[in-house]
mmCIF file of all heavy atoms in Angstrom:
data_model
loop_
_atom_site.group_PDB
_atom_site.id
_atom_site.type_symbol
_atom_site.label_atom_id
_atom_site.label_comp_id
_atom_site.label_asym_id
_atom_site.label_seq_id
_atom_site.Cartn_x
_atom_site.Cartn_y
_atom_site.Cartn_z
ATOM 1 N N THR A 1 69.363 -45.216 48.248
ATOM 2 C CA THR A 1 69.849 -44.413 47.134
ATOM 3 C C THR A 1 70.757 -45.253 46.249
ATOM 4 O O THR A 1 71.394 -46.203 46.709
ATOM 5 C CB THR A 1 70.639 -43.174 47.614
ATOM 6 O OG1 THR A 1 71.770 -43.597 48.384
ATOM 7 C CG2 THR A 1 69.759 -42.259 48.447
ATOM 8 N N ILE A 2 70.797 -44.903 44.966
ATOM 9 C CA ILE A 2 71.696 -45.538 43.998
ATOM 10 C C ILE A 2 72.461 -44.410 43.317
ATOM 11 O O ILE A 2 71.862 -43.521 42.710
ATOM 12 C CB ILE A 2 70.921 -46.357 42.958
ATOM 13 C CG1 ILE A 2 70.085 -47.446 43.645
ATOM 14 C CG2 ILE A 2 71.875 -46.996 41.953
ATOM 15 C CD1 ILE A 2 69.150 -48.189 42.701
ATOM 16 N N GLY A 3 73.771 -44.442 43.438
ATOM 17 C CA GLY A 3 74.571 -43.363 42.865
ATOM 18 C C GLY A 3 74.263 -42.013 43.469
ATOM 19 O O GLY A 3 74.360 -40.983 42.784
ATOM 20 N N GLY A 4 73.882 -42.015 44.734
ATOM 21 C CA GLY A 4 73.592 -40.764 45.428
ATOM 22 C C GLY A 4 72.194 -40.219 45.204
ATOM 23 O O GLY A 4 71.840 -39.180 45.761
ATOM 24 N N GLN A 5 71.389 -40.925 44.404
ATOM 25 C CA GLN A 5 70.032 -40.464 44.097
ATOM 26 C C GLN A 5 68.989 -41.430 44.639
ATOM 27 O O GLN A 5 69.194 -42.650 44.622
ATOM 28 C CB GLN A 5 69.852 -40.335 42.578
ATOM 29 C CG GLN A 5 70.798 -39.345 41.923
ATOM 30 C CD GLN A 5 70.599 -37.932 42.419
ATOM 31 O OE1 GLN A 5 69.451 -37.484 42.576
ATOM 32 N NE2 GLN A 5 71.698 -37.224 42.671
ATOM 33 N N PRO A 6 67.852 -40.920 45.144
ATOM 34 C CA PRO A 6 66.768 -41.807 45.578
ATOM 35 C C PRO A 6 66.307 -42.688 44.430
ATOM 36 O O PRO A 6 66.419 -42.312 43.255
ATOM 37 C CB PRO A 6 65.663 -40.834 46.006
ATOM 38 C CG PRO A 6 66.366 -39.542 46.279
ATOM 39 C CD PRO A 6 67.517 -39.485 45.317
ATOM 40 N N VAL A 7 65.814 -43.862 44.756
ATOM 41 C CA VAL A 7 65.310 -44.771 43.723
ATOM 42 C C VAL A 7 64.145 -44.110 42.994
ATOM 43 O O VAL A 7 63.188 -43.626 43.617
ATOM 44 C CB VAL A 7 64.863 -46.107 44.341
ATOM 45 C CG1 VAL A 7 64.272 -47.014 43.269
ATOM 46 C CG2 VAL A 7 66.036 -46.786 45.032
ATOM 47 N N ASP A 8 64.230 -44.054 41.679
ATOM 48 C CA ASP A 8 63.229 -43.414 40.831
ATOM 49 C C ASP A 8 62.198 -44.464 40.408
ATOM 50 O O ASP A 8 62.520 -45.392 39.648
ATOM 51 C CB ASP A 8 63.906 -42.796 39.607
ATOM 52 C CG ASP A 8 62.951 -41.986 38.743
ATOM 53 O OD1 ASP A 8 61.719 -42.075 38.941
ATOM 54 O OD2 ASP A 8 63.444 -41.272 37.845
ATOM 55 N N THR A 9 60.985 -44.330 40.878
ATOM 56 C CA THR A 9 59.948 -45.329 40.581
ATOM 57 C C THR A 9 59.453 -45.252 39.146
ATOM 58 O O THR A 9 58.707 -46.127 38.701
ATOM 59 C CB THR A 9 58.756 -45.177 41.541
ATOM 60 O OG1 THR A 9 58.227 -43.844 41.421
ATOM 61 C CG2 THR A 9 59.184 -45.421 42.984
ATOM 62 N N THR A 10 59.870 -44.224 38.389
ATOM 63 C CA THR A 10 59.404 -44.073 37.012
ATOM 64 C C THR A 10 60.382 -44.650 35.990
ATOM 65 O O THR A 10 60.098 -44.621 34.786
ATOM 66 C CB THR A 10 59.178 -42.590 36.671
ATOM 67 O OG1 THR A 10 60.447 -41.899 36.677
ATOM 68 C CG2 THR A 10 58.249 -41.939 37.683
ATOM 69 N N ARG A 11 61.524 -45.160 36.440
ATOM 70 C CA ARG A 11 62.512 -45.677 35.493
ATOM 71 C C ARG A 11 62.824 -47.147 35.761
ATOM 72 O O ARG A 11 62.395 -47.718 36.783
ATOM 73 C CB ARG A 11 63.808 -44.867 35.558
ATOM 74 C CG ARG A 11 64.505 -44.881 36.907
ATOM 75 C CD ARG A 11 65.973 -44.515 36.795
ATOM 76 N NE ARG A 11 66.748 -45.593 36.166
ATOM 77 C CZ ARG A 11 68.078 -45.616 36.136
ATOM 78 N NH1 ARG A 11 68.778 -44.631 36.679
ATOM 79 N NH2 ARG A 11 68.731 -46.625 35.565
ATOM 80 N N ASN A 12 63.550 -47.769 34.846
ATOM 81 C CA ASN A 12 64.001 -49.148 34.989
ATOM 82 C C ASN A 12 65.474 -49.178 35.399
ATOM 83 O O ASN A 12 66.246 -48.275 35.044
ATOM 84 C CB ASN A 12 63.823 -49.918 33.679
ATOM 85 C CG ASN A 12 62.371 -50.114 33.308
ATOM 86 O OD1 ASN A 12 61.504 -50.184 34.185
ATOM 87 N ND2 ASN A 12 62.093 -50.199 32.023
ATOM 88 N N TYR A 13 65.853 -50.228 36.114
ATOM 89 C CA TYR A 13 67.229 -50.386 36.569
ATOM 90 C C TYR A 13 67.777 -51.719 36.067
ATOM 91 O O TYR A 13 67.088 -52.744 36.127
ATOM 92 C CB TYR A 13 67.307 -50.340 38.094
ATOM 93 C CG TYR A 13 67.045 -48.970 38.678
ATOM 94 C CD1 TYR A 13 65.747 -48.547 38.940
ATOM 95 C CD2 TYR A 13 68.085 -48.097 38.967
ATOM 96 C CE1 TYR A 13 65.492 -47.280 39.466
ATOM 97 C CE2 TYR A 13 67.854 -46.832 39.503
ATOM 98 C CZ TYR A 13 66.552 -46.436 39.749
ATOM 99 O OH TYR A 13 66.308 -45.184 40.281
ATOM 100 N N ARG A 14 69.000 -51.686 35.597
ATOM 101 C CA ARG A 14 69.684 -52.897 35.147
ATOM 102 C C ARG A 14 70.524 -53.424 36.308
ATOM 103 O O ARG A 14 71.280 -52.670 36.947
ATOM 104 C CB ARG A 14 70.583 -52.584 33.949
ATOM 105 C CG ARG A 14 71.044 -53.799 33.166
ATOM 106 C CD ARG A 14 69.912 -54.485 32.454
ATOM 107 N NE ARG A 14 70.392 -55.555 31.569
ATOM 108 C CZ ARG A 14 69.614 -56.536 31.147
ATOM 109 N NH1 ARG A 14 68.343 -56.603 31.523
ATOM 110 N NH2 ARG A 14 70.095 -57.468 30.345
ATOM 111 N N ILE A 15 70.411 -54.718 36.576
ATOM 112 C CA ILE A 15 71.034 -55.310 37.761
ATOM 113 C C ILE A 15 71.848 -56.529 37.368
ATOM 114 O O ILE A 15 71.416 -57.340 36.542
ATOM 115 C CB ILE A 15 69.957 -55.715 38.798
ATOM 116 C CG1 ILE A 15 69.074 -54.516 39.136
ATOM 117 C CG2 ILE A 15 70.603 -56.279 40.063
ATOM 118 C CD1 ILE A 15 67.802 -54.896 39.888
ATOM 119 N N ALA A 16 73.017 -56.676 37.966
ATOM 120 C CA ALA A 16 73.831 -57.883 37.823
ATOM 121 C C ALA A 16 73.693 -58.703 39.101
ATOM 122 O O ALA A 16 73.785 -58.166 40.209
ATOM 123 C CB ALA A 16 75.294 -57.518 37.595
ATOM 124 N N THR A 17 73.465 -59.994 38.957
ATOM 125 C CA THR A 17 73.297 -60.856 40.127
ATOM 126 C C THR A 17 73.582 -62.306 39.740
ATOM 127 O O THR A 17 74.126 -62.585 38.674
ATOM 128 C CB THR A 17 71.881 -60.692 40.729
ATOM 129 O OG1 THR A 17 71.806 -61.365 41.979
ATOM 130 C CG2 THR A 17 70.813 -61.206 39.781
ATOM 131 N N LEU A 18 73.225 -63.232 40.608
ATOM 132 C CA LEU A 18 73.356 -64.664 40.341
ATOM 133 C C LEU A 18 72.031 -65.192 39.799
ATOM 134 O O LEU A 18 70.958 -64.743 40.212
ATOM 135 C CB LEU A 18 73.714 -65.428 41.612
ATOM 136 C CG LEU A 18 74.771 -64.842 42.546
ATOM 137 C CD1 LEU A 18 74.984 -65.775 43.730
ATOM 138 C CD2 LEU A 18 76.061 -64.608 41.814
ATOM 139 N N ASP A 19 72.092 -66.183 38.905
ATOM 140 C CA ASP A 19 70.844 -66.739 38.389
ATOM 141 C C ASP A 19 69.998 -67.341 39.501
ATOM 142 O O ASP A 19 68.761 -67.345 39.426
ATOM 143 C CB ASP A 19 71.108 -67.761 37.276
ATOM 144 C CG ASP A 19 72.015 -68.906 37.688
ATOM 145 O OD1 ASP A 19 72.544 -68.911 38.821
ATOM 146 O OD2 ASP A 19 72.228 -69.821 36.852
ATOM 147 N N TYR A 20 70.637 -67.828 40.559
ATOM 148 C CA TYR A 20 69.904 -68.367 41.707
ATOM 149 C C TYR A 20 69.019 -67.302 42.338
ATOM 150 O O TYR A 20 67.843 -67.555 42.652
ATOM 151 C CB TYR A 20 70.904 -68.901 42.734
ATOM 152 C CG TYR A 20 70.308 -69.294 44.066
ATOM 153 C CD1 TYR A 20 69.629 -70.502 44.225
ATOM 154 C CD2 TYR A 20 70.430 -68.459 45.184
ATOM 155 C CE1 TYR A 20 69.082 -70.861 45.441
ATOM 156 C CE2 TYR A 20 69.883 -68.813 46.407
ATOM 157 C CZ TYR A 20 69.218 -70.011 46.534
ATOM 158 O OH TYR A 20 68.676 -70.360 47.752
ATOM 159 N N LEU A 21 69.544 -66.102 42.521
ATOM 160 C CA LEU A 21 68.756 -65.018 43.093
ATOM 161 C C LEU A 21 67.718 -64.513 42.105
ATOM 162 O O LEU A 21 66.610 -64.116 42.503
ATOM 163 C CB LEU A 21 69.660 -63.868 43.528
ATOM 164 C CG LEU A 21 70.609 -64.145 44.689
ATOM 165 C CD1 LEU A 21 71.385 -62.889 45.042
ATOM 166 C CD2 LEU A 21 69.850 -64.660 45.907
ATOM 167 N N ALA A 22 68.060 -64.525 40.826
ATOM 168 C CA ALA A 22 67.130 -64.047 39.803
ATOM 169 C C ALA A 22 65.832 -64.842 39.787
ATOM 170 O O ALA A 22 64.795 -64.355 39.314
ATOM 171 C CB ALA A 22 67.787 -64.098 38.426
ATOM 172 N N GLN A 23 65.872 -66.056 40.322
ATOM 173 C CA GLN A 23 64.667 -66.890 40.399
ATOM 174 C C GLN A 23 63.786 -66.523 41.589
ATOM 175 O O GLN A 23 62.721 -67.102 41.772
ATOM 176 C CB GLN A 23 65.074 -68.359 40.489
ATOM 177 C CG GLN A 23 65.828 -68.857 39.271
ATOM 178 C CD GLN A 23 66.514 -70.181 39.507
ATOM 179 O OE1 GLN A 23 66.276 -70.852 40.505
ATOM 180 N NE2 GLN A 23 67.390 -70.566 38.596
ATOM 181 N N GLY A 24 64.252 -65.581 42.419
ATOM 182 C CA GLY A 24 63.465 -65.156 43.575
ATOM 183 C C GLY A 24 63.800 -65.889 44.847
ATOM 184 O O GLY A 24 63.039 -65.837 45.818
ATOM 185 N N ASN A 25 64.950 -66.565 44.873
ATOM 186 C CA ASN A 25 65.343 -67.334 46.057
ATOM 187 C C ASN A 25 65.908 -66.437 47.158
ATOM 188 O O ASN A 25 66.150 -65.255 46.955
ATOM 189 C CB ASN A 25 66.370 -68.393 45.669
ATOM 190 C CG ASN A 25 65.767 -69.474 44.795
ATOM 191 O OD1 ASN A 25 64.726 -70.035 45.109
ATOM 192 N ND2 ASN A 25 66.427 -69.773 43.681
ATOM 193 N N ASP A 26 66.133 -67.022 48.316
ATOM 194 C CA ASP A 26 66.667 -66.337 49.498
ATOM 195 C C ASP A 26 65.799 -65.157 49.920
ATOM 196 O O ASP A 26 66.298 -64.150 50.437
ATOM 197 C CB ASP A 26 68.102 -65.877 49.267
ATOM 198 C CG ASP A 26 69.108 -66.954 49.655
ATOM 199 O OD1 ASP A 26 68.696 -68.114 49.815
ATOM 200 O OD2 ASP A 26 70.297 -66.635 49.801
ATOM 201 N N GLY A 27 64.503 -65.256 49.701
ATOM 202 C CA GLY A 27 63.574 -64.224 50.145
ATOM 203 C C GLY A 27 63.551 -62.984 49.281
ATOM 204 O O GLY A 27 62.835 -62.031 49.595
ATOM 205 N N LEU A 28 64.288 -62.959 48.182
ATOM 206 C CA LEU A 28 64.329 -61.787 47.305
ATOM 207 C C LEU A 28 63.348 -61.985 46.152
ATOM 208 O O LEU A 28 63.715 -62.111 44.979
ATOM 209 C CB LEU A 28 65.756 -61.552 46.798
ATOM 210 C CG LEU A 28 66.821 -61.389 47.894
ATOM 211 C CD1 LEU A 28 68.192 -61.098 47.289
ATOM 212 C CD2 LEU A 28 66.427 -60.294 48.891
ATOM 213 N N THR A 29 62.066 -61.996 46.491
ATOM 214 C CA THR A 29 61.024 -62.330 45.516
ATOM 215 C C THR A 29 60.803 -61.236 44.482
ATOM 216 O O THR A 29 60.178 -61.494 43.448
ATOM 217 C CB THR A 29 59.696 -62.621 46.237
ATOM 218 O OG1 THR A 29 59.285 -61.452 46.965
ATOM 219 C CG2 THR A 29 59.854 -63.776 47.222
ATOM 220 N N ALA A 30 61.289 -60.023 44.735
ATOM 221 C CA ALA A 30 61.136 -58.949 43.752
ATOM 222 C C ALA A 30 61.769 -59.335 42.419
ATOM 223 O O ALA A 30 61.321 -58.879 41.355
ATOM 224 C CB ALA A 30 61.772 -57.662 44.279
ATOM 225 N N PHE A 31 62.793 -60.186 42.453
ATOM 226 C CA PHE A 31 63.461 -60.600 41.219
ATOM 227 C C PHE A 31 62.540 -61.388 40.296
ATOM 228 O O PHE A 31 62.825 -61.523 39.101
ATOM 229 C CB PHE A 31 64.700 -61.438 41.545
ATOM 230 C CG PHE A 31 65.920 -60.627 41.873
ATOM 231 C CD1 PHE A 31 66.671 -60.905 43.003
ATOM 232 C CD2 PHE A 31 66.331 -59.595 41.041
ATOM 233 C CE1 PHE A 31 67.815 -60.174 43.298
ATOM 234 C CE2 PHE A 31 67.467 -58.853 41.329
ATOM 235 C CZ PHE A 31 68.214 -59.136 42.463
ATOM 236 N N LYS A 32 61.435 -61.914 40.807
ATOM 237 C CA LYS A 32 60.521 -62.672 39.958
ATOM 238 C C LYS A 32 59.859 -61.786 38.908
ATOM 239 O O LYS A 32 59.329 -62.289 37.914
ATOM 240 C CB LYS A 32 59.455 -63.367 40.807
ATOM 241 C CG LYS A 32 60.008 -64.484 41.687
ATOM 242 C CD LYS A 32 58.897 -65.191 42.448
ATOM 243 C CE LYS A 32 59.439 -66.350 43.272
ATOM 244 N NZ LYS A 32 58.366 -67.066 44.012
ATOM 245 N N ALA A 33 59.898 -60.470 39.111
ATOM 246 C CA ALA A 33 59.294 -59.532 38.156
ATOM 247 C C ALA A 33 60.308 -59.095 37.102
ATOM 248 O O ALA A 33 60.065 -58.138 36.360
ATOM 249 C CB ALA A 33 58.754 -58.311 38.898
ATOM 250 N N LYS A 34 61.403 -59.785 36.979
ATOM 251 C CA LYS A 34 62.492 -59.404 36.064
ATOM 252 C C LYS A 34 62.064 -59.442 34.604
ATOM 253 O O LYS A 34 61.181 -60.210 34.209
ATOM 254 C CB LYS A 34 63.672 -60.353 36.268
ATOM 255 C CG LYS A 34 63.344 -61.821 35.977
ATOM 256 C CD LYS A 34 64.485 -62.720 36.381
ATOM 257 C CE LYS A 34 64.131 -64.204 36.167
ATOM 258 N NZ LYS A 34 63.042 -64.644 37.071
ATOM 259 N N THR A 35 62.713 -58.603 33.803
ATOM 260 C CA THR A 35 62.537 -58.601 32.351
ATOM 261 C C THR A 35 63.931 -58.499 31.713
ATOM 262 O O THR A 35 64.920 -58.227 32.385
ATOM 263 C CB THR A 35 61.663 -57.428 31.875
ATOM 264 O OG1 THR A 35 62.258 -56.196 32.292
ATOM 265 C CG2 THR A 35 60.255 -57.534 32.451
ATOM 266 N N ASN A 36 63.981 -58.721 30.384
ATOM 267 C CA ASN A 36 65.227 -58.569 29.609
ATOM 268 C C ASN A 36 66.392 -59.327 30.256
ATOM 269 O O ASN A 36 67.464 -58.761 30.512
ATOM 270 C CB ASN A 36 65.586 -57.088 29.465
ATOM 271 C CG ASN A 36 64.487 -56.296 28.783
ATOM 272 O OD1 ASN A 36 63.822 -56.780 27.875
ATOM 273 N ND2 ASN A 36 64.278 -55.063 29.230
ATOM 274 N N VAL A 37 66.180 -60.603 30.494
ATOM 275 C CA VAL A 37 67.174 -61.420 31.192
ATOM 276 C C VAL A 37 68.271 -61.878 30.235
ATOM 277 O O VAL A 37 67.996 -62.366 29.140
ATOM 278 C CB VAL A 37 66.501 -62.649 31.843
ATOM 279 C CG1 VAL A 37 67.542 -63.538 32.528
ATOM 280 C CG2 VAL A 37 65.447 -62.197 32.836
ATOM 281 N N VAL A 38 69.518 -61.713 30.673
ATOM 282 C CA VAL A 38 70.684 -62.251 29.969
ATOM 283 C C VAL A 38 71.453 -63.092 30.974
ATOM 284 O O VAL A 38 72.002 -62.576 31.943
ATOM 285 C CB VAL A 38 71.590 -61.133 29.410
ATOM 286 C CG1 VAL A 38 72.865 -61.732 28.817
ATOM 287 C CG2 VAL A 38 70.842 -60.298 28.380
ATOM 288 N N SER A 39 71.485 -64.405 30.761
ATOM 289 C CA SER A 39 72.148 -65.305 31.708
ATOM 290 C C SER A 39 72.690 -66.526 30.976
ATOM 291 O O SER A 39 72.079 -67.599 31.004
ATOM 292 C CB SER A 39 71.175 -65.740 32.808
ATOM 293 O OG SER A 39 71.843 -66.517 33.783
ATOM 294 N N PRO A 40 73.842 -66.404 30.328
ATOM 295 C CA PRO A 40 74.424 -67.551 29.623
ATOM 296 C C PRO A 40 74.763 -68.670 30.582
ATOM 297 O O PRO A 40 75.289 -68.442 31.666
ATOM 298 C CB PRO A 40 75.686 -66.964 28.985
ATOM 299 C CG PRO A 40 76.003 -65.750 29.794
ATOM 300 C CD PRO A 40 74.699 -65.211 30.257
ATOM 301 N N GLN A 41 74.450 -69.896 30.204
ATOM 302 C CA GLN A 41 74.591 -71.039 31.102
ATOM 303 C C GLN A 41 75.805 -71.916 30.806
ATOM 304 O O GLN A 41 75.985 -72.951 31.448
ATOM 305 C CB GLN A 41 73.317 -71.893 31.044
ATOM 306 C CG GLN A 41 72.088 -71.188 31.591
ATOM 307 C CD GLN A 41 72.236 -70.810 33.062
ATOM 308 O OE1 GLN A 41 72.397 -71.688 33.913
ATOM 309 N NE2 GLN A 41 72.173 -69.521 33.357
ATOM 310 N N GLU A 42 76.668 -71.502 29.882
ATOM 311 C CA GLU A 42 77.884 -72.261 29.636
ATOM 312 C C GLU A 42 78.781 -72.216 30.872
ATOM 313 O O GLU A 42 78.738 -71.275 31.662
ATOM 314 C CB GLU A 42 78.628 -71.707 28.429
ATOM 315 C CG GLU A 42 77.938 -71.955 27.091
ATOM 316 C CD GLU A 42 76.829 -70.956 26.806
ATOM 317 O OE1 GLU A 42 76.635 -70.013 27.609
ATOM 318 O OE2 GLU A 42 76.145 -71.124 25.785
ATOM 319 N N GLU A 43 79.621 -73.234 31.008
ATOM 320 C CA GLU A 43 80.437 -73.378 32.216
ATOM 321 C C GLU A 43 81.308 -72.159 32.490
ATOM 322 O O GLU A 43 81.485 -71.761 33.644
ATOM 323 C CB GLU A 43 81.326 -74.622 32.111
ATOM 324 C CG GLU A 43 82.145 -74.892 33.367
ATOM 325 C CD GLU A 43 83.005 -76.138 33.246
ATOM 326 O OE1 GLU A 43 83.006 -76.757 32.158
ATOM 327 O OE2 GLU A 43 83.677 -76.482 34.237
ATOM 328 N N GLN A 44 81.834 -71.523 31.462
ATOM 329 C CA GLN A 44 82.755 -70.409 31.680
ATOM 330 C C GLN A 44 82.076 -69.188 32.290
ATOM 331 O O GLN A 44 82.755 -68.251 32.721
ATOM 332 C CB GLN A 44 83.447 -70.002 30.373
ATOM 333 C CG GLN A 44 82.531 -69.440 29.296
ATOM 334 C CD GLN A 44 82.100 -70.490 28.300
ATOM 335 O OE1 GLN A 44 81.916 -71.653 28.675
ATOM 336 N NE2 GLN A 44 81.959 -70.100 27.046
ATOM 337 N N TYR A 45 80.742 -69.205 32.336
ATOM 338 C CA TYR A 45 80.021 -68.086 32.934
ATOM 339 C C TYR A 45 79.566 -68.388 34.359
ATOM 340 O O TYR A 45 78.776 -67.644 34.935
ATOM 341 C CB TYR A 45 78.829 -67.699 32.056
ATOM 342 C CG TYR A 45 79.252 -67.363 30.642
ATOM 343 C CD1 TYR A 45 78.740 -68.059 29.550
ATOM 344 C CD2 TYR A 45 80.204 -66.365 30.406
ATOM 345 C CE1 TYR A 45 79.158 -67.768 28.254
ATOM 346 C CE2 TYR A 45 80.619 -66.074 29.114
ATOM 347 C CZ TYR A 45 80.093 -66.776 28.047
ATOM 348 O OH TYR A 45 80.512 -66.477 26.776
ATOM 349 N N ASP A 46 80.082 -69.486 34.905
ATOM 350 C CA ASP A 46 79.890 -69.767 36.316
ATOM 351 C C ASP A 46 80.556 -68.650 37.117
ATOM 352 O O ASP A 46 81.616 -68.145 36.755
ATOM 353 C CB ASP A 46 80.520 -71.120 36.654
ATOM 354 C CG ASP A 46 80.191 -71.595 38.054
ATOM 355 O OD1 ASP A 46 80.594 -70.899 39.017
ATOM 356 O OD2 ASP A 46 79.562 -72.648 38.193
ATOM 357 N N ILE A 47 79.933 -68.266 38.231
ATOM 358 C CA ILE A 47 80.431 -67.144 39.026
ATOM 359 C C ILE A 47 81.882 -67.343 39.443
ATOM 360 O O ILE A 47 82.679 -66.391 39.460
ATOM 361 C CB ILE A 47 79.541 -66.932 40.262
ATOM 362 C CG1 ILE A 47 78.155 -66.415 39.851
ATOM 363 C CG2 ILE A 47 80.184 -65.964 41.251
ATOM 364 C CD1 ILE A 47 78.173 -65.082 39.139
ATOM 365 N N ARG A 48 82.261 -68.580 39.781
ATOM 366 C CA ARG A 48 83.632 -68.784 40.258
ATOM 367 C C ARG A 48 84.661 -68.419 39.192
ATOM 368 O O ARG A 48 85.737 -67.900 39.497
ATOM 369 C CB ARG A 48 83.834 -70.223 40.738
ATOM 370 C CG ARG A 48 83.876 -71.278 39.668
ATOM 371 C CD ARG A 48 84.220 -72.627 40.277
ATOM 372 N NE ARG A 48 83.157 -73.098 41.140
ATOM 373 C CZ ARG A 48 82.231 -73.985 40.770
ATOM 374 N NH1 ARG A 48 82.259 -74.488 39.554
ATOM 375 N NH2 ARG A 48 81.301 -74.386 41.605
#
């Protein structure tokens, strides 16, 4: 569930994550189907 509701297969979900995972690494291959990607690569947007 997300926000107390079952995952709705008819809608889209916006997700925040690491660019490393967004590439489908660590076995999370579902991320390879991503769309509308926003991932600035300047140093100040490093996770740390």
Side-chain angles (χ1 to χ4, degrees):
T1 60
I2 301 173
Q5 299 297 317
V7 177
D8 186 348
T9 58
T10 66
R11 61 159 288 191
N12 293 331
Y13 289 86
R14 196 67 173 160
I15 305 167
T17 189
L18 317 181
D19 57 355
Y20 171 78
L21 293 183
Q23 297 166 11
N25 292 310
D26 271 15
L28 304 183
T29 61
F31 277 131
K32 292 183 177 181
K34 61 188 177 294
T35 58
N36 301 324
V37 178
V38 174
S39 185
Q41 294 299 298
E42 290 81 4
E43 184 179 3
Q44 65 264 34
Y45 303 122
D46 189 297
I47 291 299
R48 72 174 67 99

